[in-house]
Amino acid sequence: MQLRDTERFTELLYLKGLSQRKLAEQAHVSQAFISMLARGRRGARPETAWRIASALGVCSHELFTVEPARLTRLARTATDTAALCKAAPSPPSSPSSPSPPSPPSSPPSSSPLSPPSPPSSPPSPPSPSPSPPSSSPPLPSSPLRPTAA
């Protein structure tokens, strides 16, 4: 990405009270890189352009523009990719060999998501059964408690 206007870049440095060295420190680049950028000798990668613009308090698209050569390269790559996608053989829509016959269909089974079918007759209520007489022996007295006599 190239600076849109090198004079505007220098003006922003002045307005923010930054030297090229201070800007370089804030943007994590070298002072030589900032100098070449300010003279139009270098371009910046998008991440670097964003860091420089952020340090100056502006949006990167206000300060930088995409190089025409890069646009052409990106367009060519996109065109090549599209051409490759069109040229790639598509998978066959039907199998080339006949499939074996399917087994006879069976009645549909209930799906785990379908509601259960109602029973043919209502269930009968449980019959009350008489409780057997208690045949267990009485509990022994606790050895910790004295028994009342």
Side-chain angles (χ1 to χ4, degrees):
M1 300 178 79
Q2 293 289 331
L3 281 174
R4 287 185 183 272
D5 185 358
T6 57
E7 289 178 17
R8 173 77 176 134
F9 178 73
T10 307
E11 181 183 347
L12 280 171
L13 281 172
Y14 176 77
L15 291 173
K16 297 291 179 178
L18 292 173
S19 64
Q20 287 184 355
R21 181 173 308 251
K22 286 284 186 189
L23 176 63
E25 288 173 10
Q26 290 181 8
H28 304 287
V29 294
S30 69
Q31 186 273 326
F33 177 81
I34 296 293
S35 175
M36 288 188 279
L37 190 66
R39 290 180 286 143
R41 305 272 176 155
R42 285 285 306 260
R45 293 185 319 203
E47 307 86 38
T48 308
W50 180 85
R51 288 195 316 259
I52 292 169
S54 295
L56 292 171
V58 296
C59 294
S60 59
H61 70 272
E62 294 175 39
L63 200 56
F64 292 91
T65 184
V66 178
E67 304 162 17
R70 179 166 284 188
L71 282 176
T72 304
R73 189 170 43 248
L74 290 174
R76 187 174 54 242
T77 302
T79 304
D80 292 346
T81 303
L84 287 173
C85 290
K86 288 179 184 175
S90 60
S93 58
S94 63
S96 57
S97 62
S99 60
S102 59
S105 63
S106 59
S109 62
S110 64
S111 165
L113 300 177
S114 64
S117 59
S120 56
S121 63
S124 58
S127 61
S129 60
S131 57
S134 177
S135 62
S136 59
L139 292 174
S141 62
S142 171
L144 300 177
R145 267 189 223 171
T147 55

